[in-house]
């Protein structure tokens, strides 16, 4: 498909290959640079590998047929993830600008894509750092023995445990009451929870100190934040494999169910997971890649980072499910133990008469001899598969299921600290990319004076995000976070990614793009890239976008609530959103998407209004200043000689 | 006389036995889970262990009431292989009278720890059915631990921000001075290059004005 849309004046807006060579030799120190290749790779790996690899992928894997899920995941990784990643790396490295600058260079009407990236990075960063605040809260609370989520507090007259805690569990209680102090509906805002505000402040100031000078400081921080999670995962794997029941968990995770491949939701979820896992369309990757040297091999980088991302997902899934297997076995043993105790106590059998092995026989025998007593005992059915399937996703996995597993391990505080440090590092390195995706375009939009140092830009971003993020410190904060997660970070990203592909391949021109890549890395991209860029990846993106849109629009959105008065307590109750929430959903999902056409329209009107005079003046002015600047350069080089 | 004593001695256990039965009004059920608590080091439950139980209960009653309770005042019945049994406590002055349930409970609560320790068991493995153990409140340090950790982290972070901002401003000042020095050197070089050739102030003026023009076109 040799379709190319008309795009006049590109050459004036972008540096030519000669300019790039010259900039490379002279090392014009205006733009920041990576200290070495390792920093760049670690930063990109850190951005891509995030909390989703730990708490979304294992759940998808287990719920969509275990080992069989690898097939759609790997296929879509190769057909969707790698081409998009290579595209973003290459365009950033070629045009040497952040997301707004890149799209503005390709065509000023496309600046809206960059602005949309900016908005999405901002909104996602807002709620993502709140999760970091929760992780920090748990981390701060892990430095004590016994862990605070292992005990229920006593009720008012000290005769028993607190009712809410007794009906649910200690970990549930600690999460919903002592951490979130959650209300029962999103309308009930409650007040600000001071401990949450403190955690938020800690999270944002820590992020600020790491991002304060852009990649100068984050480049140093990623040596720790990108490598530590792997170390901790390995420690947990070794620990997990020595625990009873871990192999059950791993078997449960990877047991293939090939029938799931027929289900279109499996493929849709795999595609969505690949897309979101690669942190595409945020603009951060374009920025990072623009600080590279011109002849950096971006093709190799894209393939390498994709492989690392995929392997990390599988590795962390193994670790998580070994620990979940242990927890499930512990719960199963507890359940059977309780039943055995009840039987022994009622029928006065000596201890050790009933064990796990002969429990079933004894039960059937007793059921025949005295069925009414057995009925009255209310024995629970203990099913290991049921406990294994309780491995939820998201915050439930980290803060409820995993913490429960940790309190059953010996030396719990150590494991708790390690686990939360790992989650923190994973999230922090993703936040670096988010902040870059906000600050770099902000500088390029020239909203604030150019002379202001970068520290001020990052400071303002962090400060405003902290202020707006206080909404998540309300009692209804977790419901707001779920709302943001579902709507701000889903559809806009898909739309932006689609626009990116179309812009680069059909507006910038795939021929020009191929020549650029040939100039940068020495050989033209092969047939695989051509096919995926032009046809396969855009088609997959359109499919996912359409399906997503249809599912979101047709179902009335609901959310899960922690309500003591509900019938199924402690299971979360599903509740419909109030009507005014729809307005907010439209704002969250709509505004970034609508930025793209609206800015193009705005630019069109602006141009039509004051077209001829301005264009002429711009041209002559540009040539005069550029000529003088070239002369100044010559002067300076002569003097330095 | 002797016959009366013999009769009394024969009747008493019967009376006591009549008083001690499952679900007796003043009786308590006790359940021990020795194997659960001690695993391999579990001891067998036999008459001697029962005797120990009776004596510890007598000790507990003595401690509460100050009366001379003996082993025979603790009447045990309905032993099961589970290791559970019922017991009632008779009053030392009048063996036919039972000590009220409430007092027995109080005595058990008061000496619970000692009773547990005599058998190397705990509240959950030596159960007195109906007498709930008083729950220990979770220990809370005066300052919550998390605040201390939070304080440490925030201190480090704020110090880090401060140091980095200071370093930035120091670096900028150095850069400015360096550029100012370089510009002075350039100007000096310019004048030095020209003056040997022409040696007149007109050249200096020319150079200065050229330098000024440069600044205008810079825009």
């Amino acid at each position: 498909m040799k379709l190319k849309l008309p795009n006049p004046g590109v050459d004036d807006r972008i540096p030519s290959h000669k300019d790039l060579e010259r900039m490379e030799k002279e090392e014009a120190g205006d733009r920041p640079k990576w200290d070495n290749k390792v920093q760049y790779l670690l930063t990109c790996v850190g951005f891509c590998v995030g909390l989703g690899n730990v708490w979304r992928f294992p759940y998808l894997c287990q719920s969509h047929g275990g080992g069989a899920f690898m097939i759609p995941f790997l296929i879509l990784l190769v057909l969707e993830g790698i081409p998009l990643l290579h595209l973003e790396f290459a365009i950033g490295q070629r045009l040497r600008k952040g997301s707004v600058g890149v799209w503005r260079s390709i065509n000023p009407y496309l600046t809206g894509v960059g602005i949309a990236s900016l908005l999405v990075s901002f909104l996602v960063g807002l709620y993502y750092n709140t999760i970091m605040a929760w992780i920090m809260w748990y981390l701060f609370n892990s430095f004590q023995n016994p862990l605070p989520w292992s005990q229920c507090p006593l009720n008012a007259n000290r005769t028993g445990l607190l009712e809410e805690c007794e009906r649910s569990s200690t970990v549930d209680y600690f999460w919903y009451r002592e951490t979130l102090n959650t209300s029962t509906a999103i309308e009930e805002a409650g007040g600000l929870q001071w401990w949450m505000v403190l955690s938020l402040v800690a999270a944002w100031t820590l992020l600020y100190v790491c991002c304060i000078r852009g990649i100068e400081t984050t480049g140093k921080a990623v040596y720790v934040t990108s490598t530590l999670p792997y170390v901790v995962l390995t420690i947990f794997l070794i620990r997990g494999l020595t625990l009873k029941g871990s192999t059950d968990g791993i078997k449960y995770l990877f047991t293939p169910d090939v029938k799931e491949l027929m289900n279109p939701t499996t493929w849709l979820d795999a595609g969505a997971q690949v897309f979101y896992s690669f942190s595409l369309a945020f603009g951060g990757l374009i920025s990072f890649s623009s600080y590279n040297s011109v002849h950096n091999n971006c093709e190799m980088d894209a393939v390498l980072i994709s492989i690392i991302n995929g392997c990390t997902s599988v590795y962390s899934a193994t670790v998580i499910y070994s620990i979940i297997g242990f927890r499930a076995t512990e719960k199963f043993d507890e359940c059977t133990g309780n039943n055995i105790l009840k039987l022994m106590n009622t029928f006065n059998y000596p201890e050790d008469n009933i064990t796990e092995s002969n429990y079933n026989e004894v039960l059937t025998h007793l059921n025949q001899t005295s069925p009414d007593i057995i009925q009255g005992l209310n024995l629970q059915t203990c099913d290991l598969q049921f406990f294994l399937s309780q491995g939820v996703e998201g915050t439930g996995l980290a803060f409820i299921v995993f913490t429960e597993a940790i309190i059953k391990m010996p030396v719990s505080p150590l494991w708790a600290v390690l686990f939360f440090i790992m989650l923190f590092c994973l999230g922090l390195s993703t936040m670096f990319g988010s902040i870059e995706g906000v600050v770099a375009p902000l500088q390029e939009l020239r909203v604030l004076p150019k002379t202001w140092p970068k520290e001020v830009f990052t400071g303002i971003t962090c400060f405003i995000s902290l202020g707006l993020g206080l909404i998540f410190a309300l009692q209804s904060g977790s419901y707001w976070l779920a709302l943001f997660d579902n709507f701000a970070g889903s559809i806009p990203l898909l739309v932006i990614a689609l626009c990116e592909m179309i812009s680069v391949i059909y507006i910038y021109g795939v021929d020009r793009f191929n020549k650029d890549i040939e100039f940068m890395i020495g050989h033209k991209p092969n047939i695989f890239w051509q096919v995926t860029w032009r046809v396969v990846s855009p088609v997959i993106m359109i499919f996912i976008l359409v399906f997503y849109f249809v599912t979101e629009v047709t179902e009335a959105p609901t959310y899960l609530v922690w309500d003591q008065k509900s019938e199924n307590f402690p299971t979360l109750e599903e509740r419909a959103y109030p009507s005014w929430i729809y307005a907010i959903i439209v704002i969250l999902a709509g505004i970034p998407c609508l930025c793209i056409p609206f800015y193009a329209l705005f630019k069109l009107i602006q141009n039509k209004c004051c077209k001829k005079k301005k264009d002429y003046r711009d041209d002559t002015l540009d040539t005069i200043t550029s000529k003088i600047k070239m002369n100044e350069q010559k002067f300076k080089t002569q003097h330095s000689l | 006389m002797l016959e009366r004593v013999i009769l009394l001695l024969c009747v008493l256990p019967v009376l006591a036995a009549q008083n001690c039965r499952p679900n007796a009004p003043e009786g308590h059920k006790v359940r021990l889970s020795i194997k659960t608590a001690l695993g391999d080091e579990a001891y067998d439950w036999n008459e001697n262990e029962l005797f120990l139980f009776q004596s510890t209960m007598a000790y507990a009653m003595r401690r509460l009431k100050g009366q001379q309770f003996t082993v025979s005042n603790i009447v045990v019945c309905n032993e099961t292989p589970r290791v559970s049994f019922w017991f009632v406590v008779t009053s030392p002055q009048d063996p036919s009278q039972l000590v009220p349930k409430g007092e027995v409970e109080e005595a058990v609560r008061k000496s619970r720890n000692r009773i547990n320790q005599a058998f190397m068991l705990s509240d959950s493995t030596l159960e007195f059915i109906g007498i709930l153990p008083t729950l220990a409140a979770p220990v809370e340090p005066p300052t919550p631990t998390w605040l201390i950790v939070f304080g440490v982290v925030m201190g480090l972070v704020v110090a880090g921000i401060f140091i980095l901002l200071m370093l930035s401003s120091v670096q900028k000042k150095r850069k400015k001075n360096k550029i100012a020095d370089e510009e002075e050197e350039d100007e000096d070089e310019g004048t030095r290059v020209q003056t040997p050739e022409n040696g007149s102030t007109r050249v200096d003026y020319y150079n200065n004005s050229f330098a000024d023009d440069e600044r205008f076109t810079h825009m």
Side-chain angles (χ1 to χ4, degrees), chain B residues 147-160:
Chain B
L147 266 180
I148 300 173
V149 185
F150 170 76
V152 168
V153 169
M154 281 306 288
L156 291 171
V157 165
V158 169

Side-chain angles (χ1 to χ4, degrees), chain A residues 131-173:
Chain A
I131 302 179
M132 303 294 296
W134 290 343
I135 293 173
M136 287 190 91
W137 161 258
Y138 267 80
L139 182 62
F140 292 156
N141 273 299
S142 301
F143 287 95
Q144 46 188 302
N145 194 12
L147 293 169
W149 56 85
S150 63
Q151 299 166 331
C152 269
L154 300 175
N155 58 17
N157 37 7
R158 282 166 140 252
T159 51
L161 305 169
L162 209 60
E163 191 202 331
E164 191 180 2
C165 191
E166 200 162 2
R167 286 174 69 193
S168 54
S169 71
T170 55
V171 280
D172 278 322
Y173 178 77

Side-chain angles (χ1 to χ4, degrees), chain B residues 188-202:
Chain B
D188 285 341
E189 261 182 50
T191 52
R192 263 183 247 129
V193 163
Q194 298 292 341
T195 28
E197 284 186 352
N198 299 328
S200 68
T201 43
R202 224 187 297 159

Side-chain angles (χ1 to χ4, degrees), chain A residues 137 140-141 143-144 151 154 158 160 195 198 202 205-206 208-209 212-213 344-345 348-352 453 455, chain B residues 31 33-36 80-82 84 135 137-138 145-146 149-150 153-154 157 160-161 164 167-168 172 218:
Chain A
W137 161 258
F140 292 156
N141 273 299
F143 287 95
Q144 46 188 302
Q151 299 166 331
L154 300 175
R158 282 166 140 252
W195 58 93
L198 286 183
T205 45
L206 197 87
Y208 179 55
V209 84
I212 193 165
R213 277 196 231 156
M344 280 199 308
N345 288 346
N348 286 320
Y349 290 143
E351 290 179 278
D352 285 355
E455 288 91 333
Chain B
R31 191 189 295 144
S33 312
I34 309 172
K35 292 215 179 86
T36 320
T80 65
R82 171 72 180 81
S84 70
L135 301 162
T145 322
W146 75 268
V149 185
F150 170 76
V153 169
M154 281 306 288
V157 165
I161 294 178
L164 283 171
L167 280 176
S168 292
K172 283 218 176 90
H218 224 291

Side-chain angles (χ1 to χ4, degrees), chain A residues 229-250:
Chain A
Y230 291 97
V231 173
V232 175
L233 275 174
T234 312
I235 295 176
F236 264 101
L237 184 68
I238 298 172
R239 171 76 269 212
L241 289 175
T242 57
L243 292 169
K244 180 186 173 200
S246 54
T247 39
D248 289 321
I250 298 179

Side-chain angles (χ1 to χ4, degrees), chain B residues 150-180:
Chain B
F150 170 76
V152 168
V153 169
M154 281 306 288
L156 291 171
V157 165
V158 169
I161 294 178
F162 193 62
I163 292 173
L164 283 171
L165 287 175
M166 288 269 91
L167 280 176
S168 292
S169 60
V170 163
Q171 266 179 9
K172 283 218 176 90
K173 276 193 189 151
R174 272 198 207 147
K175 246 191 183 174
K176 263 194 194 166
N177 289 342
K178 203 178 172 198
I179 292 178

